[in-house]
Amino acid sequence: MTNINTAVKIGKLTLRNPIVTGSGTFGFGPEMANIVDLNKLGAVVVKSTSREPRLGNPTPRIVETPSGILNAIGLQNSGVDNFIAEKLPFLRNYDVPIIVNLVGTEVADYVHLAEKLTAAGGVHGLEINISCPNVSHGCDFAVDPALTAELIREVRKVTDLTLITKLSPNVTDMVPIARAAVDAGSDALSLINTLIGTAIDVRKRKFRLANITGGLSGPAVKPIALRCVWQVHRALPNVPLIGMGGIMSATDAIEFLLAGATAIAIGTATFVNPTASTDIAAGLEAYLIENGIADVNELIGAVTQ
Amino acid sequence: MPHQVFARVLSNDPIIAGHQVITCEAPTLAAEAQPGHFVNVLTAERYDPLLRKPFSVYTVDRDRGQISLLYSIVGATTASMSRKRPGEMLDMVGPLGGRIFQADTRPDTTHIMVGGGYGVPPLVFLSRELRLAQSAPNIKFIIGARRKDLLLCEAELVAAGVDARVATEDGSHGTSGRVTDVLEPLLLENSGLPVAVYCCGPTPMMKAVAELCLKLGVTCQLSVEVAMPCGIGVCMGCVLDLTDGRRVRCCVDGPVFEAGEVKW
Ligand SMILES: Cc1cc2nc3c(=O)[nH]c(=O)nc-3n(C[C@H](O)[C@H](O)[C@H](O)COP(=O)(O)OP(=O)(O)OC[C@H]3O[C@@H](n4cnc5c(N)ncnc54)[C@H](O)[C@@H]3O)c2cc1C
Ligand SMILES: Cc1cc2nc3c(=O)[nH]c(=O)nc-3n(C[C@H](O)[C@H](O)[C@H](O)COP(=O)(O)O)c2cc1C
């Protein structure tokens, strides 16, 4: 057991295992610390944090669709100053890399956030959310390689933390955006964010979400997410990818590793099973032991036709 | 602490049309659950419906390590629950809820429970806990329903010696009208005396009860019902706007709030 390696590298970070939390599905840490031992995770990725506090969208914000959910939370959060003062001290008590997901509307917002969070201490990585589908302008960066490159270049200038760009699947081809982010200095990529969708209540003849559209996540999106990971991995085989989208079990996680992901984020699964992240980490380790695989890195991109 | 439990079903019986009580062996939940706590139930095996659904804890038997839920069959989860047989397992996460009912501690308080539909069970639990904690608490229980055949829990409250009063909208049993038609005279009768109202039921009922209590200056705790996708405070789906401007999560910042806090 002890000679099995589960550790993977994402930029400068060494994760004790490939399992991380999906931004927006694990709160800021304290919410989950009673339920899950944070020190058993590869990293904790916290909810999107913006420059100013945001109240988010009106309700209903989440509706269920077959094997999935549509969400339009609208990035409700208390702002970066509150995060640093109120949430970060708690997270510093844990021996786990902390990755903060940043969101803004302009390049200057992201630069401001990156500077503050780098200076704060106790933050190990920044995940740049260029792809939130639930706010106006949220997807402007994600659909344009030139804008993505400019944003990442500017953020790169102000931080030496591991930089991860979170990509949107709501584009014709993710590869040019992925390449632009990496060329501009992103150490790694996260994919996928949610897919834009909607749902209608036929009785009321009304949209079921107050925001009309929302982001689809959960098992319904898994085949698409897996395809995205494989496409980006094939184009950029040396770039570490954090794969996510509908991962509910260790088997699902292994599929993503085989498709080319180096780490795996657990999102919606946490809503269904609060200990999904650590259960999947344990399940992955058990799989390695049972199959005599000495190093989890052997699985990455190992799918064949 | 919230945790997942696969609990053996001991019984699962209809009580009135479309409503059942499921009792399970769940010692850890029985030990921890307090009135106002809920559990999140999952019945689907292949992700449809994907999310768990919340149910208030109805009874606990701490000696035997059992809890029960009283549920109204309205959709996929409750339909699957209704088919569970003794010996099968029920997948629950609980106890959930950050702020739950707090028994008023002023001496000689009259505790008034106002419940409608599946809002009645958590108040039955609260009444029982009050009776366990105090020798002879003064409890008045008001149950509302549209019709007599939809009334929940009256017989068991009466059997336990609780002063239970009923309002039916069609007048088929008890006072003809709504719970507030029974509550208002009771509050006026007790004006100047320590009174605490605890309420759980359909939103329009809770709003009417809250407004009445605010008007008469009576403290009132409400267990608010909104859809709770995760129940553990991380999804930000069940938010509620409070009168002080805060936007809070119903599942972990509630589900129990004071009448004056809720912005309807
Ligand atoms: C804190 C809390 C405590 C609760 N306690 C209890 C309790 O003790 N007992 C109890 O019976 N219930 C309780 N509830 C309510 C219960 O959680 C819900 O009724 C739950 O949704 C039932 O799940 P279901 O899968 O059976 O029904 P669902 O499929 O979730 O359906 C619920 C309702 O939504 C409607 N609906 C479903 N899908 C759609 C759609 N696509 N478009 C429009 N409308 C739709 C249905 O017609 C139905 O009326 C509680 C809720 C909360 C928040
Ligand atoms: C309720 C909810 C809130 C989310 N909030 C964020 C967010 O704030 N920032 C972000 O980058 N992604 C957010 N996401 C996207 C997830 O991190 C993840 O990319 C997506 O849900 C796919 O993974 P899953 O199917 O495992 O959930 C959110 C997803 C959900 C369901």
Side-chain angles (χ1 to χ4, degrees), chain A residues 29-302:
Chain A
E31 297 90 340
M32 293 301 297
N34 281 340
I35 302 177
V36 164
D37 181 356
L38 305 186
N39 289 345
K40 291 199 168 138
L41 291 167
V44 171
V45 182
V46 303
K47 172 95 187 137
S48 278
T49 299
S50 53
R51 196 166 173 158
E52 303 298 336
R54 295 179 52 105
L55 274 178
N57 289 328
T59 54
R61 292 172 162 192
I62 295 187
V63 298
E64 264 180 297
T65 57
S67 302
I69 58 172
L70 283 168
N71 92 78
I73 303 301
L75 302 170
Q76 181 176 346
N77 78 94
S78 308
V80 66
D81 293 332
N82 177 275
F83 173 78
I84 291 171
E86 306 283 335
K87 318 253 159 68
L88 197 52
F90 174 86
L91 293 168
R92 286 199 194 100
N93 296 327
Y94 290 87
D95 172 30
V96 64
I98 303 300
I99 298 172
V100 181
N101 179 295
L102 311 187
V103 74
T105 45
E106 290 165 33
V107 172
D109 297 334
Y110 288 93
V111 169
H112 172 88
L113 291 165
E115 278 175 336
K116 277 210 159 161
L117 289 161
T118 307
V123 173
H124 307 92
L126 301 177
E127 183 177 64
I128 309 299
N129 183 2
I130 57 169
S131 56
C132 182
N134 300 320
V135 291
S136 52
H137 308 302
C139 264
D140 291 359
F141 291 109
V143 299
D144 184 332
L147 282 179
T148 298
E150 185 199 333
L151 171 65
I152 301 303
R153 205 161 34 241
E154 294 307 313
V155 173
R156 182 76 287 175
K157 282 183 195 159
V158 300
T159 187
D160 51 10
L161 299 178
T162 293
L163 207 54
I164 304 157
T165 306
K166 184 156 179 180
L167 303 174
S168 169
N170 302 305
V171 295
T172 318
D173 184 0
M174 291 174 79
V175 170
I177 319 277
R179 202 185 299 278
V182 170
D183 289 347
S186 190
D187 300 300
L189 302 166
S190 277
L191 64 164
I192 58 173
N193 209 318
T194 53
L195 288 137
I196 302 175
T198 189
I200 295 172
D201 181 331
V202 294
R203 232 168 0 107
K204 298 187 189 146
R205 301 193 179 185
K206 283 189 165 178
F207 288 104
R208 289 175 61 204
L209 285 170
N211 189 55
I212 299 179
T213 58
L216 185 64
S217 66
V221 311
K222 198 190 91 181
I224 300 172
L226 195 60
R227 180 267 297 172
C228 292
V229 166
W230 170 70
Q231 277 180 336
V232 173
H233 176 68
R234 200 173 45 163
L236 301 166
N238 299 318
V239 177
L241 305 181
I242 305 178
M244 66 196 80
I247 296 167
M248 302 296 285
S249 65
T251 311
D252 292 341
I254 293 161
E255 273 192 79
F256 276 76
L257 294 171
L258 292 171
T262 294
I264 303 298
I266 309 303
T268 304
T270 295
F271 302 169
V272 183
N273 172 10
T275 57
S277 50
T278 47
D279 290 353
I280 291 172
L284 175 60
E285 186 168 339
Y287 170 87
L288 297 175
I289 294 167
E290 274 162 32
N291 292 279
I293 301 165
D295 186 344
V296 71
N297 289 280
E298 289 172 27
L299 293 175
I300 298 168

Side-chain angles (χ1 to χ4, degrees), chain B residues 2-258:
Chain B
H3 58 283
Q4 190 177 11
V5 170
F6 292 94
R8 185 176 306 282
V9 175
L10 299 167
S11 63
N12 188 11
D13 301 313
I15 42 165
I16 59 167
H19 291 71
Q20 295 196 180
V21 173
I22 190 165
T23 304
C24 304
E25 201 175 283
T28 50
L29 292 177
E32 291 176 35
Q34 297 295 327
H37 274 143
F38 58 97
V39 295
N40 257 353
V41 173
L42 183 72
T43 53
E45 276 161 23
R46 292 301 301 171
Y47 312 140
D48 196 16
L50 180 62
L51 298 174
R52 289 172 184 271
K53 297 297 178 303
F55 297 89
S56 303
V57 175
Y58 169 38
T59 65
V60 306
D61 184 331
R62 299 195 176 97
D63 298 333
R64 294 209 178 102
Q66 300 172 1
I67 72 161
S68 74
L69 313 173
L70 188 166
Y71 60 98
S72 165
I73 303 165
V74 294
T77 302
T78 46
S80 309
M81 283 166 76
S82 73
R83 292 190 291 268
K84 292 264 180 201
R85 305 216 169 176
E88 291 183 45
M89 296 301 200
L90 188 66
D91 178 354
M92 294 184 276
V93 169
L96 300 173
R99 192 170 155 197
I100 54 175
F101 286 118
Q102 294 301 320
D104 198 306
T105 53
R106 288 171 295 170
D108 303 318
T109 297
T110 301
H111 303 276
I112 305 178
M113 316 281 157
V114 185
Y118 53 71
V120 175
L123 298 172
V124 172
F125 186 13
L126 177 61
S127 310
R128 199 197 74 135
E129 291 299 296
L130 274 172
R131 282 182 281 117
L132 287 178
Q134 303 176 17
S135 59
N138 184 0
I139 302 173
K140 314 266 186 239
F141 207 120
I142 305 171
I143 315 169
R146 268 179 294 131
R147 304 186 306 267
K148 183 181 180 185
D149 56 321
L150 295 173
L151 263 178
L152 289 167
C153 306
E154 187 194 8
E156 72 177 275
L157 287 166
V158 171
V162 176
D163 175 348
R165 305 173 185 201
V166 168
T168 52
E169 285 180 33
D170 70 351
S172 51
H173 187 51
T175 300
S176 175
R178 303 182 176 224
V179 288
T180 42
D181 297 323
V182 181
L183 179 62
E184 184 156 15
L186 192 58
L187 293 178
L188 293 173
E189 231 171 76
N190 284 281
S191 99
L193 301 170
V195 172
V197 173
Y198 313 84
C199 180
C200 187
T203 301
M205 182 193 114
M206 287 203 283
K207 182 168 183 252
V209 168
E211 279 166 2
L212 178 62
C213 290
L214 287 175
K215 188 180 83 181
L216 299 178
V218 175
T219 68
C220 172
Q221 299 174 34
L222 309 159
S223 181
V224 174
E225 180 186 352
V226 298
M228 294 176 182
C230 79
I232 52 174
V234 295
C235 79
M236 308 306 281
C238 67
V239 294
L240 185 74
D241 286 333
L242 300 185
T243 46
D244 67 6
R246 282 186 306 143
R247 180 169 277 181
V248 298
R249 296 158 299 182
C250 204
C251 67
V252 291
D253 299 317
V256 175
F257 296 92
E258 295 282 336

